[in-house]
Amino acid sequence: MKVLFLGDVVGEAGRETSRIAIGRLRQKAQIDFVVVNGENAAGGNGITPKITYELLRYGADVITLGDHAWDQREIVPFLADEPRLLRPLNFPPNTPGAGSIVVQGNGKKLGVLCALGRTFMTPQTDNPFLTVRPVLEAIRRETPCILVDFHSEATSEKIAFGRYLDGQVSAVVGTHTHVQTADGKILPGGTAYLTDAGFCGAHDSVIGRDVAPVIQRYVTILPQRFGLATKGLQADGVLLTLDDLSGRALEIEPIQLAI
Amino acid sequence: MKVLFLGDVVGEAGRETSRIAIGRLRQKAQIDFVVVNGENAAGGNGITPKITYELLRYGADVITLGDHAWDQREIVPFLADEPRLLRPLNFPPNTPGAGSIVVQGNGKKLGVLCALGRTFMTPQTDNPFLTVRPVLEAIRRETPCILVDFHSEATSEKIAFGRYLDGQVSAVVGTHTHVQTADGKILPGGTAYLTDAGFCGAHDSVIGRDVAPVIQRYVTILPQRFGLATKGLQADGVLLTLDDLSGRALEIEPIQLAI
Amino acid sequence: MKVLFLGDVVGEAGRETSRIAIGRLRQKAQIDFVVVNGENAAGGNGITPKITYELLRYGADVITLGDHAWDQREIVPFLADEPRLLRPLNFPPNTPGAGSIVVQGNGKKLGVLCALGRTFMTPQTDNPFLTVRPVLEAIRRETPCILVDFHSEATSEKIAFGRYLDGQVSAVVGTHTHVQTADGKILPGGTAYLTDAGFCGAHDSVIGRDVAPVIQRYVTILPQRFGLATKGLQADGVLLTLDDLSGRALEIEPIQLAI
Amino acid sequence: MKVLFLGDVVGEAGRETSRIAIGRLRQKAQIDFVVVNGENAAGGNGITPKITYELLRYGADVITLGDHAWDQREIVPFLADEPRLLRPLNFPPNTPGAGSIVVQGNGKKLGVLCALGRTFMTPQTDNPFLTVRPVLEAIRRETPCILVDFHSEATSEKIAFGRYLDGQVSAVVGTHTHVQTADGKILPGGTAYLTDAGFCGAHDSVIGRDVAPVIQRYVTILPQRFGLATKGLQADGVLLTLDDLSGRALEIEPIQLAI
Ligand SMILES: [Fe+2]
Ligand SMILES: [Fe+2]
Ligand SMILES: [Fe+2]
Ligand SMILES: [Fe+2]
Ligand SMILES: [Fe+2]
Ligand SMILES: [Fe+2]
Ligand SMILES: [Fe+2]
Ligand SMILES: [Fe+2]
């Protein structure tokens, strides 16, 4: 099967970028599932129910989140109602929503998990290395094809997570830094790995935000309004080819699609 | 002119990797200057006088450092004696050593600066956006060809620093995460930019360290001995082509050279 | 001379607390100067021009700030107009406002400085140990009686700052943690020292905030609205007795005044 | 019953201080149990088996630890053998040792728990608010007299933890900052609370370390050797009086005993 994963969708520009990218990539290849990180889809900060449906309409089968999961308060009750929207799995046991799902289509099944790193990250979640275990075991009973979005800052933690899950999932793809890394590979155990997928939105920016106020912030260390940028639309992500039967990754192709 | 910049050299494997990579790349292209980040050259932790000379012998013209600059105590007095070894410029005024240099050869001059980011970083240095200014002005009086190694964690800070210096230096290349990013480009003002150059050393690893103890650390959160890995030698970096007269970047070519 | 210093004034409850405390303490002792930390005076977040005047009206001669200095945007231009309101001195050179002042009354002069620590603190300011030096020298030309509000988290940094300034200022009093420490003393060089002064406001709380949502935050790690508490009014601070001529501290008396 | 709790014992000076303090305080009052935080007992960094026995010999019934628990490697296997030495309870399930114990003597039983905070703290442990629950329930089946050492940095987290456990344990006493706070009280539900107990050792210091190199570190931000201080011996802690039957705290008396 082919799975398209798109990095953090940032604001309206990111949503439009993802819409066009999904359409174009579908014309070039038969894509079975689309997974999109939507943690910045609502003006850069979290996601709303309305925007969740918008991304699903654009073709996303599953939407993952990250440290910005809870930026929009209306999402807390909504998470319980919409299983295709995943918050990181390593929140406390009673947290609304789920951190994983198995979706199906074309007679195929894909498990998707979303976890949050802990190094240089807030909030302080439970250990992703430990909490991912039982979730993974449950999903593996349904399908060997599993994609993990590891939303995390430190390269050390991301690579360790990829190596840790090598041979047990089809792919570990990092998000959060909004900059795609150049280390896409298939690990020895058959798991596709990329430290960071990048982001979808206006790349003539500082990770999606207007350049000038971000610079001003670093120069003056005074608060600034960080408006979203609008130019240089680009969709970052990966296109994964998985062996349906074994779940092994056959190919990981990085995507940087200018719109 | 052509400038080769290599990301963090990690341990003995990294030194050997850099030696071979410099040799091979010099066979393919006329390289005028070689700059190497050496902050992990001594067993992963800092650098020694002896290893400084080793890297210079391998062809480095300038060696930059980062947050690990002071890991080996003998380096503190040595920094004052060896101007080709740069510690980050944004340390307090009386810090031994310098954060910049102008080197020359083949009738050409290259300025090199090294600065440390502050987000998710220790130690707590002075503001790199402010302290880089006077250093830059002094160097620009000598040459318009200037390479900046911005040793920093957060993508936001790195991109902002690149944009901030766009048009004033030839290149801003990030280091520290040990993972090369896929966003190499020439910014509108003519400055080549890459968020992170990656590292030189054993890539069958977690950023140069053995995989198993790093995973064990994340799983148990107990202290582990992080030995250096030895397999999968690869040199990460960039090959820059600069216009000698204007200092503008003409090309930035990412390097991931398997040894 | 006698100087009253009050810890962080939190919200309306804190302002009312400080008003009453200043009045009561003035009935018991001849107080020459009152200095109040006002970084949380506006609903817990920063301060406004109006609230600045309110605290001055209550008897404050100088108002210090901290990491919350810029929470209210209208304060940025106002700082340039009102010298009795101090932002931390270790912001970049062009930052609006000042970090120190010399006030006078009753034929006496008191210098007041405000600095921000860097450990576990945002924003990332300049090194307070270095930037305080020239400010201090300028003030010492006017008066030997100097009070320093060191707004800082880590006890190590606070005690080191106190020791560093011992013999050069009359008092170093910490703020920011909102919990008064029990280590008030006069250091060997004659400087009064207290790691933290505590806060003014509703102490039936978690550092001024309602208890339930803060607990809920730690339990669920989900965002909560942190309302300000209203019960258990108490003014925390210190009453300092200084030798006018030498500036040496003669006494440091911790204040925890229930209102 | 009366329970003496002593804050972090720092190095040899701290051990000697605790020995003398326990002896002197026992002469003044009938003390049923002594609990000592020993995370810095071995030269400032962790604890060894030998030093564990030394502190037990001095009269400690239970020794608690903190973020420095694992500084000495030999302690890892030892923790499984010596139940009176507690590492924080919120480490992963398979961590050697335990985070709680019930000790008995004089026909009385005291439960002791040790937990680690997460704000501004490494390593990244499990949520103490959640993991303390089942441990507490098990202990409450044995005794209502329970002392909690919450080893934590941020005052917000510490006070929240105290309020959270109010009415369910006899006392929550914080450690880690090495500075005693002045907020000892009995909370509405009957739980004694103090944000930080302080430390045992040489107080003519920066939290137990020599003053000069710590200042030098903040001034230069270069590495320094932080030797342990030797002067100004003082034992910090609290003396708790508990109602044996209900476990309610009757009194909390802060201790700062100069040796
Ligand atoms: Fe994001
Ligand atoms: Fe994120
Ligand atoms: Fe490095
Ligand atoms: Fe580094
Ligand atoms: Fe405050
Ligand atoms: Fe503060
Ligand atoms: Fe300690
Ligand atoms: Fe500690």
Side-chain angles (χ1 to χ4, degrees), chain B residues 8-10 37 39-40 44 67-68 151 175-178 199:
Chain B
D8 308 31
V9 170
V10 179
N37 185 301
E39 74 143 7
N40 307 112
D67 53 312
H68 286 282
H151 196 82
T175 51
H176 178 62
T177 73
H178 293 206
F199 82 100

Side-chain angles (χ1 to χ4, degrees), chain A residues 8-10 37 39-40 44 67-68 151 175-178 199:
Chain A
D8 308 30
V9 170
V10 178
N37 185 300
E39 74 143 8
N40 308 111
D67 53 313
H68 286 282
H151 196 82
T175 52
H176 179 63
T177 73
H178 292 206
F199 82 99

Side-chain angles (χ1 to χ4, degrees), chain A residues 93-175:
Chain A
N94 293 324
T95 305
S100 65
I101 190 174
V102 176
V103 283
Q104 51 188 88
N106 310 334
K108 298 166 182 183
K109 279 185 174 180
L110 176 72
V112 181
L113 283 82
C114 171
L116 195 63
R118 301 205 293 181
T119 307
F120 308 137
M121 183 67 78
T122 51
Q124 294 149 330
T125 50
D126 295 336
N127 188 329
F129 288 73
L130 294 176
T131 50
V132 74
R133 284 248 156 257
V135 180
L136 202 53
E137 276 164 35
I139 288 179
R140 284 169 66 87
R141 269 178 240 123
E142 288 197 63
T143 174
C145 295
I146 300 171
L147 166 66
V148 177
D149 174 0
F150 190 44
H151 196 82
S152 178
E153 170 74 28
T155 50
S156 159
E157 191 176 15
K158 283 161 127 165
I159 297 171
F161 204 65
R163 291 282 184 162
Y164 176 67
L165 297 182
D166 183 23
Q168 306 193 47
V169 301
S170 307
V172 174
V173 182
T175 52

Side-chain angles (χ1 to χ4, degrees), chain B residues 11 18 72-73 75 127 158 235 244:
Chain B
S18 70
Q72 307 291 332
R73 283 175 175 261
I75 214 63
N127 188 329
K158 283 160 127 165
D244 294 8

Side-chain angles (χ1 to χ4, degrees), chain B residues 172-184:
Chain B
V172 174
V173 182
T175 51
H176 178 62
T177 73
H178 293 206
V179 174
Q180 189 173 98
T181 54
D183 62 339

